[in-house]
Amino acid sequence: MICPSISLLAASGLFLGASQAAVLRKDDQTCRKTKVAILGAGVAGITAAQSLSNASISDFIIIERNDYVGGRMRNTKFGKSPDGKPYTVELGANWVEGLQSKSGNVNPIWRLAQKHKIKNTYSNGSSLVTYDETGKYDFMDIIDDFDKKWETAMEDADAIKDENLQDTSVRAGLSIAGWKPKKDMHAQAAEWWGWDFEMAVVPDQSGFLYDMSVNKAVFEHFSEDTNLVTDQRGFNALIIGEANEFLKKNDPRLLLKSIVKEIKYGPSGVKVHLKDGDCIEAEYAICTFSVGVLQNDVVKFKPTLPRWKREAIEQFQMGTYTKIFMQFNETWWPRETQFMLYADPIERGYYPMFQSLSATGFVPESNILFGTVTGTQAYQVEKQTEKETQAEIMEVLQAMFPKITVPEPTAIMYPRWSQDEMAFGSFSNWPPGMTLEKHQNLRANVDRLWFAGEANSAEFFGYLQGAWFEGKDMGDRIAHILNSDGAVADGEGELMRYEVLHGDTFKDEYDEDNGWSITLDD
Protein backbone atom coordinates (compact mmCIF):
# COMPACT_ATOMS: atom_id res chain seq x y z
CA MET A 1 0.00 0.00 0.00
CA ILE A 2 1.36 3.41 -0.93
CA CYS A 3 1.20 5.86 1.96
CA PRO A 4 -0.33 9.26 1.11
CA SER A 5 2.53 10.91 2.96
CA ILE A 6 4.66 10.19 -0.12
CA SER A 7 3.25 13.10 -2.07
CA LEU A 8 3.76 15.37 0.92
CA LEU A 9 7.33 14.16 1.32
CA ALA A 10 8.07 14.65 -2.34
CA ALA A 11 6.70 18.17 -2.19
CA SER A 12 8.74 18.79 0.95
CA GLY A 13 11.92 17.53 -0.68
CA LEU A 14 12.55 14.76 1.84
CA PHE A 15 12.83 11.88 -0.64
CA LEU A 16 16.17 10.33 -1.40
CA GLY A 17 16.02 9.63 -5.13
CA ALA A 18 17.11 6.35 -6.69
CA SER A 19 20.14 7.95 -8.36
CA GLN A 20 21.29 9.40 -5.05
CA ALA A 21 20.78 6.07 -3.30
CA ALA A 22 22.95 4.42 -5.92
CA VAL A 23 25.76 6.87 -5.20
CA LEU A 24 25.64 5.88 -1.55
CA ARG A 25 25.92 2.14 -2.18
CA LYS A 26 29.35 0.74 -1.36
CA ASP A 27 30.86 -2.67 -1.62
CA ASP A 28 30.56 -4.97 1.37
CA GLN A 29 33.95 -3.89 2.68
CA THR A 30 33.31 -0.17 2.77
CA CYS A 31 30.84 1.66 4.96
CA ARG A 32 29.64 5.21 4.72
CA LYS A 33 30.97 7.04 7.79
CA THR A 34 29.11 9.47 10.02
CA LYS A 35 29.25 10.74 13.58
CA VAL A 36 25.70 9.66 14.51
CA ALA A 37 23.42 7.07 12.92
CA ILE A 38 19.77 7.55 13.84
CA LEU A 39 17.72 4.41 13.32
CA GLY A 40 14.15 5.42 12.60
CA ALA A 41 12.47 8.58 11.28
CA GLY A 42 9.58 8.73 13.73
CA VAL A 43 9.08 11.42 16.35
CA ALA A 44 12.03 10.23 18.48
CA GLY A 45 14.40 9.92 15.53
CA ILE A 46 13.57 13.25 13.91
CA THR A 47 13.65 15.05 17.27
CA ALA A 48 17.05 13.52 18.07
CA ALA A 49 18.37 14.68 14.70
CA GLN A 50 16.93 18.13 15.30
CA SER A 51 18.70 18.30 18.68
CA LEU A 52 21.99 17.41 17.01
CA SER A 53 21.41 20.01 14.32
CA ASN A 54 20.59 22.65 16.94
CA ALA A 55 23.93 21.82 18.60
CA SER A 56 25.72 22.48 15.27
CA ILE A 57 26.25 18.78 14.56
CA SER A 58 25.27 18.15 10.96
CA ASP A 59 27.15 14.90 10.42
CA PHE A 60 24.38 12.37 10.97
CA ILE A 61 22.36 9.90 8.92
CA ILE A 62 18.71 8.96 9.51
CA ILE A 63 17.84 5.43 8.42
CA GLU A 64 14.15 4.61 7.92
CA ARG A 65 12.62 1.37 6.61
CA ASN A 66 9.40 3.07 5.42
CA ASP A 67 8.95 5.44 2.50
CA TYR A 68 7.77 8.30 4.71
CA VAL A 69 8.72 10.28 7.80
CA GLY A 70 6.60 9.73 10.88
CA GLY A 71 6.95 6.14 12.11
CA ARG A 72 3.72 5.16 13.83
CA MET A 73 2.27 8.54 12.82
CA ARG A 74 0.95 6.91 9.68
CA ASN A 75 -2.04 7.74 7.52
CA THR A 76 -3.68 6.52 4.35
CA LYS A 77 -6.37 7.46 1.84
CA PHE A 78 -9.82 6.05 2.39
CA GLY A 79 -13.30 6.32 0.91
CA LYS A 80 -14.53 9.10 -1.34
CA SER A 81 -15.54 12.68 -0.69
CA PRO A 82 -18.42 14.35 -2.60
CA ASP A 83 -15.92 15.59 -5.18
CA GLY A 84 -14.58 12.07 -5.69
CA LYS A 85 -11.30 12.53 -3.83
CA PRO A 86 -10.38 10.17 -0.96
CA TYR A 87 -10.11 11.27 2.64
CA THR A 88 -6.98 11.05 4.78
CA VAL A 89 -7.43 8.96 7.92
CA GLU A 90 -4.91 8.16 10.63
CA LEU A 91 -3.87 4.54 11.05
CA GLY A 92 -1.69 5.23 14.07
CA ALA A 93 -1.38 8.22 16.38
CA ASN A 94 -4.56 10.28 16.07
CA TRP A 95 -4.81 12.53 19.14
CA VAL A 96 -2.93 15.29 20.88
CA GLU A 97 -3.40 14.21 24.49
CA GLY A 98 -2.89 16.79 27.22
CA LEU A 99 -2.53 20.28 25.71
CA GLN A 100 -1.49 23.13 27.98
CA SER A 101 -2.01 23.76 31.69
CA LYS A 102 -3.12 27.06 33.18
CA SER A 103 0.31 27.34 34.79
CA GLY A 104 1.92 27.25 31.36
CA ASN A 105 3.12 23.66 30.95
CA VAL A 106 2.83 22.97 27.21
CA ASN A 107 2.81 19.53 25.64
CA PRO A 108 5.50 19.73 22.91
CA ILE A 109 3.20 17.88 20.50
CA TRP A 110 0.52 20.53 21.08
CA ARG A 111 3.10 23.24 20.46
CA LEU A 112 4.11 21.59 17.18
CA ALA A 113 0.46 21.09 16.17
CA GLN A 114 -0.12 24.81 16.61
CA LYS A 115 3.13 25.73 14.88
CA HIS A 116 2.31 23.66 11.79
CA LYS A 117 -1.41 24.47 11.86
CA ILE A 118 -2.58 20.87 12.26
CA LYS A 119 -6.38 20.72 12.07
CA ASN A 120 -7.78 19.17 15.23
CA THR A 121 -11.00 19.17 17.23
CA TYR A 122 -11.72 18.68 20.91
CA SER A 123 -12.76 15.13 21.78
CA ASN A 124 -15.71 15.65 24.09
CA GLY A 125 -16.09 12.65 26.36
CA SER A 126 -19.47 13.98 27.47
CA SER A 127 -20.77 13.53 23.92
CA LEU A 128 -21.36 9.86 24.65
CA VAL A 129 -24.37 7.58 24.15
CA THR A 130 -24.40 4.07 25.63
CA TYR A 131 -25.89 0.90 24.12
CA ASP A 132 -26.21 -2.80 24.76
CA GLU A 133 -27.72 -5.76 22.86
CA THR A 134 -31.22 -4.28 23.34
CA GLY A 135 -30.35 -0.98 21.68
CA LYS A 136 -29.86 2.38 23.36
CA TYR A 137 -29.41 1.77 27.09
CA ASP A 138 -28.34 4.38 29.61
CA PHE A 139 -25.62 3.18 31.99
CA MET A 140 -23.96 6.53 32.52
CA ASP A 141 -24.43 6.07 36.27
CA ILE A 142 -22.04 3.11 36.13
CA ILE A 143 -19.51 5.19 34.19
CA ASP A 144 -19.81 7.89 36.85
CA ASP A 145 -19.20 5.27 39.53
CA PHE A 146 -16.06 4.08 37.72
CA ASP A 147 -14.82 7.67 37.56
CA LYS A 148 -15.24 8.05 41.33
CA LYS A 149 -13.42 4.81 42.04
CA TRP A 150 -10.73 5.88 39.59
CA GLU A 151 -10.14 9.08 41.55
CA THR A 152 -9.85 7.06 44.76
CA ALA A 153 -7.34 4.73 43.10
CA MET A 154 -5.34 7.72 41.85
CA GLU A 155 -5.14 9.10 45.40
CA ASP A 156 -4.02 5.68 46.64
CA ALA A 157 -1.29 5.55 44.01
CA ASP A 158 -0.04 8.99 45.05
CA ALA A 159 0.11 7.92 48.71
CA ILE A 160 1.98 4.70 47.92
CA LYS A 161 4.60 6.26 45.64
CA ASP A 162 5.64 8.70 48.36
CA GLU A 163 6.79 5.73 50.44
CA ASN A 164 8.05 2.84 48.34
CA LEU A 165 7.60 2.14 44.65
CA GLN A 166 6.53 -1.51 44.99
CA ASP A 167 3.93 -2.05 42.30
CA THR A 168 0.79 -4.11 41.79
CA SER A 169 -1.74 -4.32 38.93
CA VAL A 170 -4.33 -1.73 37.99
CA ARG A 171 -6.92 -4.46 38.56
CA ALA A 172 -5.77 -4.78 42.18
CA GLY A 173 -5.57 -1.01 42.63
CA LEU A 174 -9.10 -0.45 41.31
CA SER A 175 -10.42 -3.34 43.37
CA ILE A 176 -8.97 -1.88 46.57
CA ALA A 177 -10.64 1.41 45.61
CA GLY A 178 -13.98 -0.45 45.49
CA TRP A 179 -14.34 -1.07 41.75
CA LYS A 180 -15.33 -4.72 41.18
CA PRO A 181 -17.12 -5.11 37.83
CA LYS A 182 -17.21 -8.94 37.96
CA LYS A 183 -19.82 -10.22 35.49
CA ASP A 184 -21.76 -6.98 35.04
CA MET A 185 -21.21 -6.33 31.34
CA HIS A 186 -22.33 -2.70 31.57
CA ALA A 187 -19.63 -2.20 34.21
CA GLN A 188 -17.14 -4.02 31.98
CA ALA A 189 -17.96 -1.61 29.15
CA ALA A 190 -17.62 1.34 31.53
CA GLU A 191 -14.20 0.04 32.55
CA TRP A 192 -13.16 -0.40 28.91
CA TRP A 193 -14.20 3.21 28.25
CA GLY A 194 -12.30 4.48 31.29
CA TRP A 195 -9.18 2.33 30.93
CA ASP A 196 -8.65 0.22 27.79
CA PHE A 197 -9.72 2.97 25.41
CA GLU A 198 -6.75 5.01 26.64
CA MET A 199 -4.15 2.36 27.47
CA ALA A 200 -4.95 -0.49 24.97
CA VAL A 201 -4.14 -3.10 27.65
CA VAL A 202 -6.52 -4.62 30.21
CA PRO A 203 -6.19 -3.52 33.88
CA ASP A 204 -4.95 -6.99 34.87
CA GLN A 205 -1.85 -6.53 32.70
CA SER A 206 -1.11 -2.91 33.63
CA GLY A 207 1.19 -1.67 36.39
CA PHE A 208 -0.80 0.32 38.95
CA LEU A 209 1.67 2.98 40.12
CA TYR A 210 3.21 3.78 36.77
CA ASP A 211 0.10 3.64 34.59
CA MET A 212 -1.60 5.93 37.10
CA SER A 213 1.47 8.17 37.04
CA VAL A 214 1.49 8.49 33.25
CA ASN A 215 -2.17 9.53 33.35
CA LYS A 216 -1.32 12.15 35.95
CA ALA A 217 1.65 13.39 33.93
CA VAL A 218 -0.38 13.69 30.72
CA PHE A 219 -3.66 15.05 32.03
CA GLU A 220 -2.61 17.00 35.14
CA HIS A 221 0.84 18.31 34.22
CA PHE A 222 -0.56 19.48 30.88
CA SER A 223 -4.38 19.40 30.76
CA GLU A 224 -7.36 17.08 30.61
CA ASP A 225 -8.06 18.07 27.01
CA THR A 226 -7.65 15.60 24.15
CA ASN A 227 -7.99 16.70 20.54
CA LEU A 228 -8.59 14.43 17.55
CA VAL A 229 -6.52 15.28 14.47
CA THR A 230 -8.39 15.33 11.16
CA ASP A 231 -5.86 17.29 9.10
CA GLN A 232 -6.04 16.07 5.50
CA ARG A 233 -2.26 16.50 5.14
CA GLY A 234 -1.88 13.85 7.82
CA PHE A 235 -0.88 14.17 11.48
CA ASN A 236 2.75 13.51 10.54
CA ALA A 237 2.82 16.84 8.70
CA LEU A 238 4.06 18.32 11.95
CA ILE A 239 7.12 16.06 12.18
CA ILE A 240 7.78 16.46 8.45
CA GLY A 241 7.64 20.21 9.02
CA GLU A 242 10.23 19.89 11.77
CA ALA A 243 12.48 17.74 9.58
CA ASN A 244 12.31 20.36 6.82
CA GLU A 245 13.96 22.84 9.17
CA PHE A 246 17.28 20.99 9.14
CA LEU A 247 17.09 18.67 6.12
CA LYS A 248 17.49 20.23 2.70
CA LYS A 249 15.80 19.07 -0.49
CA ASN A 250 16.95 15.56 -1.49
CA ASP A 251 19.13 15.48 1.61
CA PRO A 252 21.47 12.46 1.46
CA ARG A 253 21.32 12.23 5.26
CA LEU A 254 17.80 10.79 5.06
CA LEU A 255 17.70 7.21 3.83
CA LEU A 256 14.12 6.07 3.27
CA LYS A 257 13.21 2.49 2.35
CA SER A 258 16.39 1.30 4.08
CA ILE A 259 15.94 -1.75 6.29
CA VAL A 260 18.36 -2.35 9.17
CA LYS A 261 19.25 -6.03 9.55
CA GLU A 262 22.27 -6.03 11.88
CA ILE A 263 23.83 -3.66 14.41
CA LYS A 264 27.40 -4.20 15.57
CA TYR A 265 28.27 -2.06 18.57
CA GLY A 266 31.16 -1.55 20.94
CA PRO A 267 33.10 1.03 22.96
CA SER A 268 34.60 2.57 19.81
CA GLY A 269 31.49 2.91 17.64
CA VAL A 270 28.57 1.28 15.84
CA LYS A 271 28.28 -0.37 12.44
CA VAL A 272 24.82 -0.68 10.89
CA HIS A 273 24.24 -3.23 8.12
CA LEU A 274 21.26 -2.78 5.81
CA LYS A 275 19.22 -5.39 3.96
CA ASP A 276 20.47 -4.22 0.56
CA GLY A 277 24.09 -4.86 1.58
CA ASP A 278 25.01 -1.27 2.40
CA CYS A 279 26.50 -0.36 5.76
CA ILE A 280 27.00 2.76 7.81
CA GLU A 281 29.77 3.23 10.36
CA ALA A 282 29.07 5.73 13.12
CA GLU A 283 30.76 7.02 16.23
CA TYR A 284 27.37 6.78 17.99
CA ALA A 285 23.95 5.41 17.10
CA ILE A 286 20.46 6.10 18.45
CA CYS A 287 18.06 3.18 18.06
CA THR A 288 14.41 4.29 18.07
CA PHE A 289 12.84 0.91 17.26
CA SER A 290 9.63 0.04 19.09
CA VAL A 291 9.72 -2.40 21.99
CA GLY A 292 7.81 -4.78 19.72
CA VAL A 293 10.60 -4.75 17.13
CA LEU A 294 13.26 -5.31 19.80
CA GLN A 295 11.27 -8.19 21.30
CA ASN A 296 10.80 -9.99 18.00
CA ASP A 297 14.45 -10.15 16.90
CA VAL A 298 13.79 -8.29 13.67
CA VAL A 299 17.30 -6.84 13.93
CA LYS A 300 20.37 -8.81 15.02
CA PHE A 301 22.66 -7.21 17.60
CA LYS A 302 26.35 -8.14 17.74
CA PRO A 303 27.33 -8.84 20.42
CA THR A 304 23.99 -9.97 21.85
CA LEU A 305 22.58 -7.25 24.09
CA PRO A 306 23.47 -7.87 27.75
CA ARG A 307 21.00 -9.74 29.91
CA TRP A 308 20.07 -6.68 31.98
CA LYS A 309 19.02 -4.95 28.74
CA ARG A 310 17.18 -7.93 27.25
CA GLU A 311 15.18 -8.57 30.43
CA ALA A 312 13.94 -4.98 30.41
CA ILE A 313 13.00 -5.20 26.73
CA GLU A 314 11.17 -8.49 27.13
CA GLN A 315 9.21 -7.43 30.23
CA PHE A 316 7.85 -4.19 28.82
CA GLN A 317 4.82 -4.61 26.59
CA MET A 318 3.21 -3.37 23.41
CA GLY A 319 -0.52 -2.83 23.33
CA THR A 320 -2.53 -3.11 20.13
CA TYR A 321 -5.08 -0.42 19.36
CA THR A 322 -6.97 -0.99 16.12
CA LYS A 323 -9.20 1.58 14.43
CA ILE A 324 -11.66 0.15 11.91
CA PHE A 325 -12.79 2.73 9.35
CA MET A 326 -16.11 2.37 7.55
CA GLN A 327 -17.73 4.70 5.05
CA PHE A 328 -21.46 4.63 4.31
CA ASN A 329 -23.65 6.32 1.72
CA GLU A 330 -25.15 8.43 4.48
CA THR A 331 -24.71 9.27 8.14
CA TRP A 332 -27.47 7.10 9.59
CA TRP A 333 -26.21 7.26 13.21
CA PRO A 334 -26.64 10.27 15.56
CA ARG A 335 -24.64 12.82 13.60
CA GLU A 336 -23.49 15.06 16.44
CA THR A 337 -22.70 12.29 18.91
CA GLN A 338 -18.94 11.83 19.10
CA PHE A 339 -18.81 8.50 20.96
CA MET A 340 -21.07 5.44 21.05
CA LEU A 341 -20.20 2.84 23.71
CA TYR A 342 -21.51 -0.73 23.39
CA ALA A 343 -21.75 -3.30 26.20
CA ASP A 344 -21.69 -6.77 24.68
CA PRO A 345 -23.66 -9.33 26.73
CA ILE A 346 -20.95 -12.01 26.48
CA GLU A 347 -17.48 -10.67 25.71
CA ARG A 348 -15.74 -7.69 27.32
CA GLY A 349 -14.31 -5.33 24.69
CA TYR A 350 -16.21 -6.82 21.74
CA TYR A 351 -16.49 -3.89 19.28
CA PRO A 352 -17.18 -1.57 22.21
CA MET A 353 -16.61 1.85 20.70
CA PHE A 354 -17.69 3.73 17.57
CA GLN A 355 -16.82 7.32 16.70
CA SER A 356 -18.39 9.61 14.12
CA LEU A 357 -16.23 11.67 11.80
CA SER A 358 -19.36 13.32 10.41
CA ALA A 359 -19.81 15.43 13.54
CA THR A 360 -19.32 19.18 13.30
CA GLY A 361 -15.67 20.16 13.44
CA PHE A 362 -14.35 16.79 12.32
CA VAL A 363 -14.88 15.68 8.69
CA PRO A 364 -18.49 16.75 7.95
CA GLU A 365 -20.34 14.91 5.19
CA SER A 366 -17.70 12.18 5.15
CA ASN A 367 -20.17 9.54 6.36
CA ILE A 368 -17.24 7.83 8.07
CA LEU A 369 -17.72 5.86 11.26
CA PHE A 370 -14.78 4.17 12.91
CA GLY A 371 -14.74 1.54 15.59
CA THR A 372 -11.95 0.79 18.05
CA VAL A 373 -10.85 -2.54 19.48
CA THR A 374 -7.90 -3.21 21.76
CA GLY A 375 -5.97 -6.08 23.31
CA THR A 376 -7.09 -9.62 22.52
CA GLN A 377 -9.96 -8.41 20.35
CA ALA A 378 -7.57 -6.28 18.30
CA TYR A 379 -5.24 -9.23 17.74
CA GLN A 380 -8.20 -11.30 16.54
CA VAL A 381 -9.48 -8.60 14.19
CA GLU A 382 -6.02 -8.07 12.70
CA LYS A 383 -5.70 -11.79 11.94
CA GLN A 384 -9.03 -12.09 10.13
CA THR A 385 -10.25 -10.69 6.82
CA GLU A 386 -12.01 -7.36 6.44
CA LYS A 387 -15.08 -9.27 5.24
CA GLU A 388 -15.18 -11.27 8.48
CA THR A 389 -14.72 -8.15 10.56
CA GLN A 390 -17.44 -6.31 8.66
CA ALA A 391 -19.92 -9.14 9.28
CA GLU A 392 -19.22 -9.06 13.02
CA ILE A 393 -19.52 -5.28 13.19
CA MET A 394 -22.79 -5.27 11.28
CA GLU A 395 -24.33 -7.60 13.88
CA VAL A 396 -23.23 -5.25 16.67
CA LEU A 397 -24.47 -2.12 14.92
CA GLN A 398 -27.82 -3.75 14.17
CA ALA A 399 -28.16 -4.63 17.86
CA MET A 400 -27.35 -1.05 18.82
CA PHE A 401 -29.90 0.37 16.35
CA PRO A 402 -32.76 -2.19 16.24
CA LYS A 403 -35.32 0.27 14.84
CA ILE A 404 -33.53 0.76 11.52
CA THR A 405 -32.00 -1.49 8.91
CA VAL A 406 -28.31 -0.69 9.20
CA PRO A 407 -26.84 -0.43 5.69
CA GLU A 408 -23.66 -2.16 4.63
CA PRO A 409 -20.61 0.11 4.42
CA THR A 410 -19.33 1.06 0.99
CA ALA A 411 -15.74 0.73 2.22
CA ILE A 412 -13.94 -0.76 5.21
CA MET A 413 -10.26 -0.64 6.14
CA TYR A 414 -8.01 -1.01 9.18
CA PRO A 415 -4.27 -1.41 9.95
CA ARG A 416 -2.65 -4.53 11.33
CA TRP A 417 -0.15 -3.13 13.80
CA SER A 418 0.37 -6.38 15.71
CA GLN A 419 1.67 -8.00 12.51
CA ASP A 420 3.66 -5.04 11.22
CA GLU A 421 7.42 -5.69 11.36
CA MET A 422 8.12 -2.01 11.94
CA ALA A 423 6.09 -2.01 15.16
CA PHE A 424 4.54 -5.31 16.38
CA GLY A 425 1.95 -3.26 18.24
CA SER A 426 0.57 0.25 18.51
CA PHE A 427 2.22 1.73 21.59
CA SER A 428 3.81 0.61 24.84
CA ASN A 429 2.37 0.00 28.29
CA TRP A 430 3.93 -0.54 31.72
CA PRO A 431 3.23 -4.08 33.02
CA PRO A 432 2.99 -5.16 36.69
CA GLY A 433 6.37 -5.93 38.19
CA MET A 434 8.30 -3.51 35.96
CA THR A 435 10.35 -1.41 38.38
CA LEU A 436 11.90 1.98 37.76
CA GLU A 437 15.30 0.29 37.80
CA LYS A 438 14.34 -2.17 35.10
CA HIS A 439 12.74 0.59 33.04
CA GLN A 440 15.96 2.57 33.36
CA ASN A 441 17.71 -0.45 31.86
CA LEU A 442 15.34 -0.15 28.90
CA ARG A 443 16.58 3.43 28.42
CA ALA A 444 20.26 2.89 29.14
CA ASN A 445 22.89 2.89 26.41
CA VAL A 446 25.12 -0.10 25.71
CA ASP A 447 28.58 1.23 24.85
CA ARG A 448 27.97 3.72 22.02
CA LEU A 449 24.56 2.34 21.10
CA TRP A 450 21.81 4.53 22.58
CA PHE A 451 18.05 4.02 22.68
CA ALA A 452 15.07 6.38 22.39
CA GLY A 453 11.33 6.14 21.82
CA GLU A 454 8.00 6.54 23.58
CA ALA A 455 8.49 3.34 25.60
CA ASN A 456 11.67 4.78 27.13
CA SER A 457 9.88 7.67 28.81
CA ALA A 458 9.07 6.97 32.45
CA GLU A 459 6.63 9.88 32.47
CA PHE A 460 5.01 9.58 29.04
CA PHE A 461 5.37 6.00 27.77
CA GLY A 462 2.72 5.27 25.17
CA TYR A 463 2.37 8.93 24.12
CA LEU A 464 3.86 11.02 21.33
CA GLN A 465 5.32 13.46 23.86
CA GLY A 466 7.24 10.53 25.36
CA ALA A 467 8.93 9.94 21.99
CA TRP A 468 9.66 13.67 21.68
CA PHE A 469 11.21 14.01 25.14
CA GLU A 470 13.33 10.88 24.76
CA GLY A 471 14.53 11.79 21.28
CA LYS A 472 15.53 15.25 22.44
CA ASP A 473 17.23 13.93 25.57
CA MET A 474 19.37 11.37 23.71
CA GLY A 475 20.20 13.85 20.96
CA ASP A 476 21.25 16.44 23.55
CA ARG A 477 23.37 13.92 25.46
CA ILE A 478 25.28 12.78 22.40
CA ALA A 479 25.67 16.36 21.18
CA HIS A 480 27.23 17.27 24.53
CA ILE A 481 29.70 14.40 24.25
CA LEU A 482 30.63 15.25 20.65
CA ASN A 483 30.98 18.96 21.38
CA SER A 484 33.19 18.44 24.41
CA ASP A 485 36.39 18.07 22.34
CA GLY A 486 37.65 15.20 24.42
CA ALA A 487 36.81 16.88 27.73
CA VAL A 488 34.27 14.15 28.53
CA ALA A 489 35.97 11.09 30.00
CA ASP A 490 35.14 7.66 28.62
CA GLY A 491 31.79 6.59 30.05
CA GLU A 492 30.96 10.03 31.42
CA GLY A 493 27.47 11.20 30.52
CA GLU A 494 26.21 7.68 29.98
CA LEU A 495 22.86 6.67 31.40
CA MET A 496 22.61 4.84 34.72
CA ARG A 497 21.91 1.12 34.48
CA TYR A 498 21.20 -1.55 37.09
CA GLU A 499 22.93 -4.84 36.48
CA VAL A 500 21.71 -5.93 39.92
CA LEU A 501 18.03 -5.20 40.55
CA HIS A 502 16.63 -4.49 43.99
CA GLY A 503 13.00 -5.46 43.42
CA ASP A 504 11.70 -1.97 44.09
CA THR A 505 13.02 1.55 43.84
CA PHE A 506 12.70 4.49 46.17
CA LYS A 507 11.71 7.56 44.20
CA ASP A 508 14.30 9.89 45.79
CA GLU A 509 17.10 7.43 44.97
CA TYR A 510 15.90 7.08 41.38
CA ASP A 511 15.64 10.83 40.83
CA GLU A 512 19.11 11.39 42.28
CA ASP A 513 20.71 8.76 40.05
CA ASN A 514 18.90 9.47 36.80
CA GLY A 515 16.70 12.52 36.93
CA TRP A 516 13.33 12.97 35.30
CA SER A 517 12.49 15.82 32.99
CA ILE A 518 9.20 16.03 34.90
CA THR A 519 8.89 14.43 38.32
CA LEU A 520 5.74 12.61 39.31
CA ASP A 521 5.06 15.26 41.94
CA ASP A 522 4.71 18.09 39.41
Side-chain angles (χ1 to χ4, degrees), residues 334-346:
R335 177 178 293 274
E336 295 306 319
T337 297
Q338 289 192 24
F339 301 97
M340 289 165 277
L341 179 65
Y342 171 69
D344 188 78
I346 299 174

Side-chain angles (χ1 to χ4, degrees), residues 176-196:
I176 290 171
W179 175 256
K180 302 176 186 289
K182 302 293 183 181
K183 295 182 180 180
D184 184 339
M185 300 312 292
H186 295 110
Q188 295 279 13
E191 181 180 88
W192 189 96
W193 162 256
W195 183 261
D196 301 44

Side-chain angles (χ1 to χ4, degrees), residues 21 50 73 92 146 422 474 478:
Q50 189 171 43
M73 296 181 80
F146 174 85
M422 68 151 281
M474 300 309 144
I478 293 176

Side-chain angles (χ1 to χ4, degrees), residues 195-393:
W195 183 261
D196 301 44
F197 187 41
E198 183 67 26
M199 309 305 289
V201 177
V202 295
D204 312 66
Q205 299 173 11
S206 301
F208 179 53
L209 293 178
Y210 306 104
D211 277 299
M212 289 295 184
S213 293
V214 76
N215 272 272
K216 182 176 182 179
V218 171
F219 300 113
E220 291 187 23
H221 183 77
F222 295 130
S223 74
E224 294 183 355
D225 298 328
T226 293
N227 286 17
L228 182 75
V229 170
T230 57
D231 199 301
Q232 293 301 292
R233 294 172 296 168
F235 196 0
N236 64 349
L238 64 80
I239 201 66
I240 292 172
E242 291 298 285
N244 279 339
E245 294 185 356
F246 59 88
L247 292 175
K248 60 182 180 291
K249 185 176 181 179
N250 294 325
D251 201 311
R253 294 175 298 172
L254 176 64
L255 306 183
L256 298 176
K257 296 188 288 187
S258 300
I259 300 175
V260 176
K261 297 304 293 182
E262 183 180 84
I263 301 171
K264 295 180 180 179
Y265 67 93
S268 60
V270 180
K271 186 177 289 186
V272 180
H273 290 272
L274 306 182
K275 184 178 180 180
D276 63 5
D278 289 348
C279 63
I280 294 169
E281 192 171 343
E283 294 181 25
Y284 295 87
I286 303 175
C287 176
T288 71
F289 300 153
S290 76
V291 167
V293 168
L294 296 175
Q295 289 172 341
N296 284 277
D297 301 324
V298 176
V299 176
K300 181 181 294 184
F301 291 88
K302 288 188 176 181
T304 300
L305 293 173
R307 186 179 180 88
W308 58 263
K309 186 74 174 182
R310 286 182 283 125
E311 284 186 352
I313 289 169
E314 296 297 343
Q315 185 163 347
F316 221 59
Q317 62 187 191
M318 287 290 285
T320 298
Y321 187 104
T322 308
K323 290 174 291 183
I324 305 165
F325 293 92
M326 297 165 287
Q327 186 177 43
F328 296 84
N329 282 327
E330 61 179 339
T331 299
W332 51 264
W333 57 90
R335 177 178 293 274
E336 295 306 319
T337 297
Q338 289 192 24
F339 301 97
M340 289 165 277
L341 179 65
Y342 171 69
D344 188 78
I346 299 174
E347 184 178 349
R348 181 187 184 280
Y350 186 77
Y351 300 109
M353 173 59 61
F354 296 93
Q355 290 179 250
S356 173
L357 286 183
S358 292
T360 301
F362 293 90
V363 191
E365 310 307 323
S366 66
N367 301 324
I368 294 176
L369 183 72
F370 72 96
T372 300
V373 288
T374 61
T376 302
Q377 182 65 22
Y379 297 141
Q380 178 59 43
V381 163
E382 292 189 3
K383 286 191 298 183
Q384 65 192 28
T385 66
E386 291 177 353
K387 184 177 180 180
E388 291 171 321
T389 298
Q390 178 173 321
E392 292 175 349
I393 287 179

Side-chain angles (χ1 to χ4, degrees), residues 106-123:
V106 183
N107 181 342
I109 303 302
W110 177 236
R111 186 178 66 246
L112 294 178
Q114 293 177 301
K115 174 181 175 180
H116 296 286
K117 296 179 172 55
I118 301 297
K119 183 180 184 299
N120 61 91
T121 303
Y122 173 59
S123 284

Side-chain angles (χ1 to χ4, degrees), residues 91-142:
L91 300 175
N94 211 150
W95 284 267
V96 183
E97 302 204 58
L99 308 184
Q100 179 174 352
S101 70
K102 293 181 180 179
S103 61
N105 299 321
V106 183
N107 181 342
I109 303 302
W110 177 236
R111 186 178 66 246
L112 294 178
Q114 293 177 301
K115 174 181 175 180
H116 296 286
K117 296 179 172 55
I118 301 297
K119 183 180 184 299
N120 61 91
T121 303
Y122 173 59
S123 284
N124 184 2
S126 297
S127 180
L128 170 69
V129 178
T130 56
Y131 302 80
D132 65 12
E133 75 279 9
T134 67
K136 186 175 179 180
Y137 185 92
D138 187 355
F139 53 93
M140 292 299 297
D141 58 329
I142 299 178

